[in-house]
Amino acid sequence: MSQDSTNPGSTVPKSFQEIILRLQNYWADKGCAVLQPYDMEVGAGTFHPATTLRSLGSKPWAAAYVQPSRRPTDGRYGENPNRLQHYYQYQVIIKPSPPNLQELYLGSLRAIGIDLGLHDIRFVEDDWESPTLGAWGLGWEVWCDGMEVSQFTYFQQVGGHDCKPVSGELTYGLERLAMYVMNVSHVMDMPFNNPDAPIPLTYGDIFRQTEEEYSRHNFDGATTEMLFRHFEDAEAECQRLLDFPPADPKTGKTIIMAHPAYDQTIKASHLFNLLDARGVISVTERQAYIGRVRALAKKCADAFRQTEAGRDAAEAVPA
Amino acid sequence: MPDLLIELFSEEIPARMQAGAREALKKLVTDGLVEAGLTYGGAGAFSTPRRLTLAIEDLSAASRPVSEERKGPRTDAPQAALDGFLRSTGLSIDQLEKRADKKAEVWFAVVKKPGRPASDIVAEVLESAIRTFPWPKSMRWGSGTLKWVRPLQSILCILSDESGASVVPLDVDGIPSGETTRGHRFMAPDSFTVTSFEDYAARLRRAKVMLDQAEREQAIAHGAKNLAFAAGLDVVEDKGLLTEIAGLVEWPVPLLGRIPEAFLGLPAEVLQTSMKEHQKFFSARNPKTGRIEGFITVANIETPDDGATILAGNLKVLTARLSDARFFWENDLRVAKAGMSEWAEGLTHVTFQSKLGSQSERIARIAALAREIAPLVGADPDQAEHAARLAKLDLRSAMVGEFPELQGVMGRYYALAAGESEAVANAARDHYSPLGPSDAVPTEPVSVAVALADKLDTLTGFWAIDEKPTGSKDPFALRRAALGVIRLVLGNGVGLKLLPILSGRIAAIRTPAALEAHNLNAPGDSNSYAPQVASDLLAFFHDRLKVFLKDQGIRHDVIDACLAMPGNDDLTLLVKRATALAETLKSDDGKNLLQGYKRANNILTQAEAKDGVEYSFGPDPKLAETEEERALFQALDQAEAKITPAMAKEDFATAMQAMAELRAPIDAFFTAVQINAENQIIRRNRLNLLHRIRAICSGTADLTKVEG
């Protein structure tokens, strides 16, 4: 294995943001477009259209980004050392998956200060499936000294469509990884910026209060009638946007509103997560709600496949 | 004779798939080679997380030439037929022979297939093996269409003999074969060339790869044992975990750590489960305290700090996990000490099965049933009912939420914490048993009552809503539940009449889904179909029982003969009967008695059909004409004197023994006596005598169903 000369490596990062910055630099250096987080509430980095939609069709794609993610049921009022209802994922998606993706990934660990000669890195079978996105893939969870630090997946299907070519997806749970690298035991104690800065801020300085507020909101505050109503609205709007004829009379162009419709799918998914946290969805209803979101995701994937970005490249289309 | 070495190098193969993959590679390749006309001396398959290897010794260098004769059309056949024959053989007309066949002259072709070099055959066979490999789950990657368990990175394929090694050329979707491989991902990542299997294995070892799974397992087991010994601990053996771990590492390095003092108070099962499930650690027990005090993790790398960083990292993860576990345990204990009512309340909101209601409704049914069954298994009804009400409350505990496999085990701890008796607590732990064929059957009366009630409720419930297992589909493990009932009943010698219980339970389930399943809408009408559904369920029990007894060496026809008797819903009685019959049929007297019985029965049945009467009137010994006839009368009297009391005591062995003793007098009777005598009175008397034989013998089993 060739040592990577382009990354600083070896030194231990001093802050959460330094880890993010190193990952950004590393993947930028490897040719990824460094995108910004999607501006909606999502449960995981995979929901970003840069992953879900762009993994469809034959056009090459390489992107990396931080995605704030929300899992309302994981709220612990900021008290649990490892659990948060709002946290950050780092997401890398490359299509087609390059043959050296494992090596590239290991290089990123080196870049954030993990000495691969000193730690025990393992690829442990983990098949990924997202029932809400109608997506699945095979891969591993990556263990560093017994701790899961990333999810590594080769997408096989998204929104019911076979992925051709296959995208390679890497997801890093940033807080957990950073805590491990910096040897911090409680997430709220982790330095967010440089601890030597004039105004040092910890993760807790920034998020302890919001974790409390959102925990209360998620478990007790959110109005369930409204959430149910909004779920129905998002579902109807998604369908309505996709029902438009592709020809736009104003511009005379073909404009399929795949992304706006997909935004409604994201909304529905988050509303469902909130309802789940409020404990108002029974076990049997759960499956039905997941099925409704999946139906939307599939329709959006179908629509995206009709668009310029999602269509197969001309040469790949059989005559 | 060259040797063949194949290595399929890929990204990490799931541990659980490696054993199957080794076998599949060996079979696909050796079968293919043999089919193509090659022979070989021996073959061995190996795997590591990143490679699947096959070494074949003494492979023939080429296949033998074969010549095959094929008969063509007649020489006077139309040209089209001849052209077709030439096309199919690839020959020209001057290469054909004319031969005389039965009536006419016929074209014959001798098609010679030259021998092919092993290299060509290997290339074909390997490519086909890769393309058709039976992975339980496979995937595509990049832009390719090839499927493999994870991306396939390189193919090593060489034939080697005294003169050296040569690459077998092939190319599978852009992956060319070669003679190189790589060592350990981190310790020796460079590629190197190999010339033979011995060379390959030796170089891999130098490159920090132990090729053989068995050797890795041994190294782990041995290393773990030594570490534990040095620390004054014993490794808790776990063969499944050992196999899995050996499939996750190429170079195993066991490391021992101690569980922080703060967690040593957790139940041993919690420590073991958490460490195994989350971190794939072996547990180490202190033989003095009996507690789990240490762990062994197996790293895949040798480090300059002798694993100190790795161990520290693992310990940190363990601490986080066990902190969670302790938090669950302490919270759960608080609920348990308060009487677990919080959990009971919680279970009212948990659906057991949408058509069968909530868990708490289910628990109420099980409790009622446990009370009903209790006297039959020697348990106190109040205690059995109480135990059933508590047995599943741990399903709401945080610990079982985290580790579902600890259901029951935690139930016992929590019941004890709630101040319940050992009997009640043990029922919480044991009522799921027996789960598998190797799982022990509970024997404590309260546990037996609750275990039976649990399984019978599940079965009657699913029968009531008509969700029975079909073919290989048994999503609710109903076959296992039925086998569980069988083993509980037989193992404890429980005399339990199933039919009234099954029928009563099925009638008690009056959910709309149950009524709908049997096309009834009126509430309460479950009574009308319950007996029929119950006998269908009983038939299901009988099927499972046949399978169970067959494994114990009792023939299906013997079971059928006993199933035909009344009271067949008492499984203990049924099996006693079947065992006695099987035993009797092993003896010569038993076998011959069966013949005598069948003969008597046939003659009697025919006569009854012909005469349109039933010869069930008692025969009169005064009408006996021969010595043999009189002897039979006497023998029947004697047998009956033994059989009647034996049957009253359900002592089938004695009854059947007495029956078997009838063999000689019956045989003698048939030899000496003509049944269809001229004298109708004598004839009738003899037929009535046959009826006595039938009546006496068929009290134990329906012998007409026994084969032979």
Side-chain angles (χ1 to χ4, degrees):
Chain A
M1 188 190 338
S2 62
Q3 276 297 319
D4 211 304
S5 55
T6 56
N7 76 68
S10 62
T11 60
V12 175
K14 287 190 171 135
S15 66
F16 186 56
Q17 71 190 27
E18 188 181 342
I19 287 181
I20 295 175
L21 290 169
R22 286 198 196 181
L23 285 173
Q24 298 279 52
N25 282 327
Y26 178 83
W27 287 108
D29 193 56
K30 297 298 169 196
C32 286
V34 173
L35 304 183
Q36 300 306 316
Y38 203 56
D39 57 343
M40 293 187 69
E41 298 141 315
V42 296
T46 309
F47 274 84
H48 196 309
T51 292
T52 40
L53 297 182
R54 293 289 176 158
S55 62
L56 296 166
S58 71
K59 295 198 176 63
W61 181 254
Y65 54 90
V66 175
Q67 180 63 51
S69 306
R70 300 195 188 215
R71 295 205 175 149
T73 44
D74 278 356
R76 295 292 183 274
Y77 302 84
E79 287 164 12
N80 187 290
N82 305 298
R83 242 173 239 231
L84 301 161
Q85 57 83 40
H86 172 282
Y87 64 104
Y88 290 106
Q89 284 193 341
Y90 196 83
Q91 176 89 0
V92 179
I93 177 99
I94 306 179
K95 177 177 70 172
S97 64
N100 62 338
L101 189 55
Q102 280 188 315
E103 294 303 320
L104 289 174
Y105 168 74
L106 292 171
S108 75
L109 294 186
R110 235 181 266 121
I112 57 172
I114 296 179
D115 179 348
L116 300 181
L118 215 48
H119 292 274
D120 185 32
I121 306 292
R122 222 77 75 68
F123 291 86
V124 180
E125 177 191 14
D126 191 33
D127 301 343
W128 173 81
E129 192 184 359
S130 168
T132 37
L133 288 176
W136 68 277
L138 298 189
W140 311 272
E141 46 183 51
V142 185
W143 287 19
C144 176
D145 303 336
M147 187 177 67
E148 185 193 342
V149 288
S150 303
Q151 191 81 33
F152 191 130
T153 308
Y154 292 101
F155 278 1
Q156 302 294 300
Q157 227 180 39
V158 170
H161 293 257
D162 279 346
C163 297
K164 285 182 181 171
V166 167
S167 298
E169 183 213 41
L170 307 171
T171 304
Y172 306 72
L174 281 172
E175 284 82 356
R176 200 186 332 188
L177 182 61
M179 284 167 69
Y180 188 71
V181 171
M182 294 190 285
N183 196 22
V184 176
S185 357
H186 199 297
V187 64
M188 294 300 171
D189 299 336
M190 178 165 62
F192 200 101
N193 63 356
N194 189 333
D196 304 327
I199 306 174
L201 294 168
T202 63
Y203 197 93
D205 292 333
I206 299 169
F207 288 118
R208 191 188 303 276
Q209 181 178 327
T210 51
E211 280 299 308
E212 271 186 5
E213 292 177 9
Y214 278 104
S215 294
R216 185 169 185 200
H217 165 265
N218 299 343
F219 294 127
D220 303 310
T223 311
T224 56
E225 296 75 22
M226 180 198 73
L227 295 174
F228 276 121
R229 203 166 61 238
H230 286 185
F231 183 92
E232 305 279 337
D233 287 349
E235 189 181 38
E237 181 71 353
C238 177
Q239 185 59 57
R240 210 179 65 85
L241 291 174
L242 293 176
D243 285 344
F244 270 73
D248 172 36
K250 199 184 268 175
T251 60
K253 290 183 183 174
T254 297
I255 304 179
I256 297 169
M257 290 177 278
H259 284 82
Y262 180 63
D263 285 352
Q264 299 302 320
T265 307
I266 295 179
K267 270 196 182 137
S269 172
H270 179 63
L271 288 161
F272 162 72
N273 288 342
L274 275 175
L275 285 164
D276 198 26
R278 290 286 279 109
V280 290
I281 292 185
S282 75
V283 183
T284 25
E285 286 171 325
R286 240 184 102 77
Q287 287 313 312
Y289 273 97
I290 289 172
R292 284 164 74 177
V293 178
R294 181 170 57 239
L296 298 182
K298 282 190 167 170
K299 284 177 188 162
C300 293
D302 295 347
F304 178 72
R305 291 282 283 132
Q306 305 301 315
T307 67
E308 179 57 30
R311 204 175 292 145
D312 285 343
E315 63 272 19
V317 177
Chain B
M1 299 279 258
D3 294 336
L4 171 65
L5 174 63
I6 294 169
E7 183 203 61
L8 303 171
F9 187 86
S10 68
E11 298 179 8
E12 277 75 359
I13 306 167
R16 67 186 169 94
M17 299 180 187
Q18 291 172 23
R22 289 194 297 268
E23 285 315 303
L25 180 65
K26 187 161 131 183
K27 182 163 169 41
L28 280 172
V29 172
T30 55
D31 283 3
L33 295 176
V34 168
E35 198 174 316
L38 297 180
T39 62
Y40 67 96
F46 306 89
S47 66
T48 77
R50 294 213 290 167
R51 60 200 92 219
L52 201 50
T53 300
L54 180 65
I56 294 181
E57 284 177 341
D58 297 331
L59 185 68
S60 29
S63 60
R64 286 166 192 275
V66 264
S67 78
E68 184 193 356
E69 282 199 355
R70 285 179 57 192
K71 183 177 157 190
R74 286 159 57 143
T75 49
D76 57 358
Q79 185 64 31
L82 178 61
D83 289 346
F85 185 57
L86 290 173
R87 258 198 313 279
S88 77
T89 55
L91 300 178
S92 59
I93 190 154
D94 53 323
Q95 292 172 299
L96 299 186
E97 290 173 27
K98 289 178 183 177
R99 286 189 202 166
D101 200 43
K102 285 163 204 156
K103 287 176 204 152
E105 196 180 36
V106 172
W107 289 112
F108 261 85
V110 179
V111 183
K112 288 194 175 131
K113 287 190 185 159
R116 298 175 64 208
S119 174
D120 288 4
I121 294 173
V122 167
E124 256 174 41
V125 167
L126 180 55
E127 174 164 358
S128 146
I130 292 172
R131 292 194 186 281
T132 61
F133 205 83
W135 291 111
K137 247 182 186 178
S138 59
M139 54 163 272
R140 292 172 290 111
W141 61 95
S143 302
T145 54
L146 185 65
K147 287 192 157 193
W148 199 246
V149 63
R150 292 293 183 274
L152 181 62
Q153 290 180 327
S154 64
I155 300 170
L156 180 154
C157 186
I158 57 169
L159 281 166
S160 53
D161 55 24
E162 309 79 52
S163 64
S166 60
V167 173
V168 174
L170 74 146
D171 184 302
V172 185
D173 279 28
I175 307 168
S177 59
E179 55 191 338
T180 60
T181 185
R182 274 174 276 177
H184 189 276
R185 188 191 277 285
F186 300 108
M187 292 191 283
D190 295 332
S191 72
F192 52 87
T193 302
V194 301
T195 55
S196 66
F197 175 69
E198 291 68 31
D199 181 47
Y200 167 79
R203 281 174 191 270
L204 276 181
R205 187 178 301 280
R206 285 202 291 279
K208 303 290 183 188
V209 174
M210 263 184 222
L211 180 62
D212 189 357
Q213 164 90 12
E215 187 190 342
R216 291 194 304 275
E217 285 182 21
Q218 209 174 12
I220 295 167
H222 192 71
K225 203 172 164 188
N226 284 347
L227 285 171
F229 181 77
L233 302 173
D234 293 334
V235 184
V236 178
E237 276 186 37
D238 188 332
K239 184 76 182 76
L241 184 61
L242 180 61
T243 305
E244 186 187 1
I245 293 174
L248 286 171
V249 295
E250 294 204 305
W251 193 258
V253 181
L255 301 167
L256 178 131
R258 289 205 175 258
I259 298 169
E261 187 70 33
F263 306 116
L264 293 180
L266 284 169
E269 295 93 335
V270 171
L271 289 170
Q272 280 174 272
T273 308
S274 174
M275 294 200 295
K276 175 181 174 167
E277 296 303 319
H278 289 146
Q279 296 185 265
K280 306 192 197 300
F281 286 175
F282 290 100
S283 296
R285 179 177 276 122
N286 183 338
K288 293 193 196 85
T289 60
R291 294 189 307 189
I292 302 291
E293 295 181 2
F295 65 87
I296 289 132
T297 181
V298 182
N300 185 35
I301 190 167
E302 287 170 351
T303 64
D305 65 352
D306 291 326
T309 306
I310 296 172
L311 196 57
N314 274 286
L315 190 60
K316 199 175 152 162
V317 182
L318 178 69
T319 303
R321 291 284 189 192
L322 293 184
S323 303
D324 271 355
R326 192 176 56 174
F327 175 77
F328 298 148
W329 170 242
E330 284 167 359
N331 268 331
D332 287 349
L333 278 182
R334 186 180 45 76
V335 178
K337 283 175 183 159
M340 301 191 273
S341 55
E342 188 181 318
W343 293 337
E345 154 61 21
L347 285 176
T348 59
H349 306 296
V350 179
T351 309
F352 164 57
Q353 205 273 350
S354 58
K355 294 178 182 173
L356 289 171
S358 70
Q359 284 285 16
S360 59
E361 289 171 285
R362 176 184 176 215
I363 289 169
R365 292 196 302 265
I366 296 173
L369 189 47
R371 165 174 276 283
E372 186 179 339
I373 294 172
L376 304 171
V377 301
D380 174 63
D382 289 339
Q383 204 179 23
E385 181 185 344
H386 183 62
R389 288 197 183 282
L390 298 184
K392 290 189 191 293
L393 295 185
D394 67 341
L395 293 178
R396 283 299 283 180
S397 69
M399 191 70 84
V400 174
E402 182 73 8
F403 300 111
E405 62 269 52
L406 289 180
Q407 66 177 16
V409 169
M410 297 319 297
R412 178 172 183 281
Y413 283 111
Y414 298 145
L416 290 175
E420 298 293 339
S421 64
E422 280 282 338
V424 169
N426 287 346
R429 181 189 59 197
D430 296 334
H431 79 281
Y432 295 103
S433 294
L435 285 168
S438 57
D439 195 16
V441 176
T443 52
E444 289 181 62
V446 176
S447 295
V448 173
V450 181
L452 276 173
D454 183 30
K455 290 163 185 66
L456 288 170
D457 175 69
T458 301
L459 287 159
T460 49
F462 283 98
W463 247 256
I465 58 168
D466 204 26
E467 301 247 3
K468 300 183 273 190
T470 52
S472 60
K473 287 210 178 84
D474 184 10
F476 305 104
L478 300 179
R479 291 192 180 102
R480 191 175 74 188
L483 183 61
V485 171
I486 290 168
R487 290 186 58 205
L488 279 161
V489 166
L490 300 184
N492 290 293
V494 180
L496 178 76
K497 290 203 173 301
L498 279 174
L499 262 185
I501 290 177
L502 300 181
S503 186
R505 293 294 134 189
I506 290 165
I509 295 173
R510 298 192 172 93
T511 63
L515 294 168
E516 200 184 311
H518 304 282
N519 293 320
L520 288 164
N521 296 313
D525 265 4
S526 56
N527 286 316
S528 64
Y529 60 77
Q532 187 206 329
V533 176
S535 60
D536 184 56
L537 176 52
L538 181 64
F540 180 74
F541 273 108
H542 287 157
D543 283 345
R544 301 328 300 161
L545 182 67
K546 279 186 197 174
V547 175
F548 178 72
L549 291 182
K550 204 176 159 199
D551 291 344
Q552 321 246 318
I554 299 184
R555 294 185 340 225
H556 69 93
D557 56 322
V558 170
I559 305 164
D560 281 333
C562 300
L563 280 179
M565 303 306 291
N568 67 8
D569 62 337
D570 180 336
L571 303 181
T572 300
L573 191 69
L574 183 59
V575 170
K576 238 183 185 175
R577 205 188 276 277
T579 312
L581 179 56
E583 205 51 46
T584 306
L585 290 174
K586 274 185 202 157
S587 70
D588 279 348
D589 277 351
K591 278 180 213 145
N592 290 317
L593 169 76
L594 182 66
Q595 297 314 318
Y597 167 80
K598 284 191 173 174
R599 189 167 169 190
N601 187 50
N602 286 343
I603 294 168
L604 185 58
T605 309
Q606 278 166 20
E608 284 179 340
K610 188 170 151 232
D611 304 346
V613 291
E614 191 179 311
Y615 289 102
S616 55
F617 195 75
D620 188 345
K622 287 197 292 269
L623 295 171
E625 287 185 329
T626 67
E627 206 45 53
E628 288 81 2
E629 211 171 350
R630 274 187 287 277
L632 180 58
F633 267 104
Q634 202 178 3
L636 285 171
D637 285 344
Q638 281 167 1
E640 209 161 32
K642 288 184 198 162
I643 290 170
T644 309
M647 287 299 286
K649 286 187 289 181
E650 293 170 1
D651 179 359
F652 300 108
T654 303
M656 288 191 198
Q657 179 54 41
M659 229 168 59
E661 283 163 12
L662 288 172
R663 174 233 169 156
I666 290 177
D667 282 357
F669 169 74
F670 277 123
T671 314
V673 175
Q674 176 80 28
I675 306 288
N676 287 317
E678 292 290 322
N679 181 332
Q680 284 305 307
I681 295 168
I682 302 289
R683 175 175 176 266
R684 273 201 301 276
N685 196 54
R686 287 179 178 163
L687 285 169
N688 280 323
L689 184 59
L690 292 188
H691 179 268
R692 249 192 99 187
I693 297 175
R694 178 163 77 180
I696 286 176
C697 291
S698 50
T700 52
D702 182 351
L703 298 177
T704 59
K705 293 211 158 37
V706 179
E707 288 164 12

